[in-house]
Amino acid sequence: MQKIYKKFDKSKLSTLPRAQFGGKIVVINGDADAKKAVDYLMRQTRVGIDTETRPSFRKGEMHGVALLQVATYKECFLFRLNRIGVPDCVASLLESEDVCKVGLSLTDDFIMLRHRRKNLAPKNVVELQKLAPTVGIEDMSLQKLYANLLGGYISKRQQLTNWETDSLTQAQQLYASTDAWACLQLEDEIEKLKSTGDYELIEENDQHIS
């Protein structure tokens, strides 16, 4: 029986093996490449999604969402929205009722995306922050959910880097892809636990990780 924790001990994160996307990463800088990528993604049944925004370090400074990550289990497409905006094809993917979009804190992501494209109305979405409580988990961060359910550590080191840089570094690409890919894995694991009931929810703080 699998043990999961109501609240995962953050101090245990660094003891876990690193989790990192190992598939193909495609950076999208133009409309033609975006259309090609979306044509492929529209043939999928489920994708993981996430966004990245250049951090603001001055009061009153705000930046638009710079990156939309859309992942399958084997590929991740990084749409550089600071260059291409949200083109019609990308809006069609997000609004498709045929392709399920799985993510975390999607309400915030969609608010940011609407700054780039008004009236965007995403459909067929799964919010992990609503799904996790169905098995008793109270943590809402991707990092803690992944550690708790899948026993891996997702580094957040690249989170506050410049997502509007001329060329994304390999570390940025891996970070962004991992977050979107992890969403698919998390939904799979939660749905498995719900279906089988083969888990024990640990409420106390005494957590032992072998």
Side-chain angles (χ1 to χ4, degrees), residues 41-126:
L41 291 166
M42 281 290 201
R43 298 194 294 271
Q44 312 305 309
T45 56
R46 293 166 63 245
V47 295
I49 66 172
D50 193 23
T51 65
E52 303 298 337
T53 300
R54 179 181 175 181
S56 300
F57 298 108
R58 289 187 241 172
K59 186 176 180 180
E61 181 182 56
M62 289 186 66
H63 301 286
V65 59
L67 195 71
L68 170 68
Q69 306 100 275
V70 186
T72 68
Y73 288 101
K74 295 182 179 180
E75 306 93 2
C76 188
F77 299 90
L78 307 181
F79 296 87
R80 302 207 67 189
L81 305 187
N82 59 304
R83 294 186 174 181
I84 65 174
V86 181
D88 290 347
C89 61
V90 172
S92 295
L93 174 65
L94 294 173
E95 294 176 345
S96 171
E97 295 185 357
D98 297 322
V99 183
C100 178
K101 279 73 64 176
V102 184
L104 185 141
S105 193
L106 290 175
T107 297
D108 293 337
D109 286 341
F110 294 153
I111 287 172
M112 293 297 293
L113 287 167
R114 288 188 187 103
H115 287 306
R116 294 238 179 242
R117 186 180 179 106
K118 293 181 180 179
N119 303 318
L120 183 69
K123 298 180 180 67
N124 193 2
V125 298
V126 172

Side-chain angles (χ1 to χ4, degrees), residues 54-55 80 158 160-166 168 172:
R54 179 181 175 181
R80 302 207 67 189
Q158 298 297 314
L160 296 180
T161 58
N162 180 10
W163 295 100
E164 296 182 7
T165 185
D166 287 343
L168 296 176
Q172 285 179 308

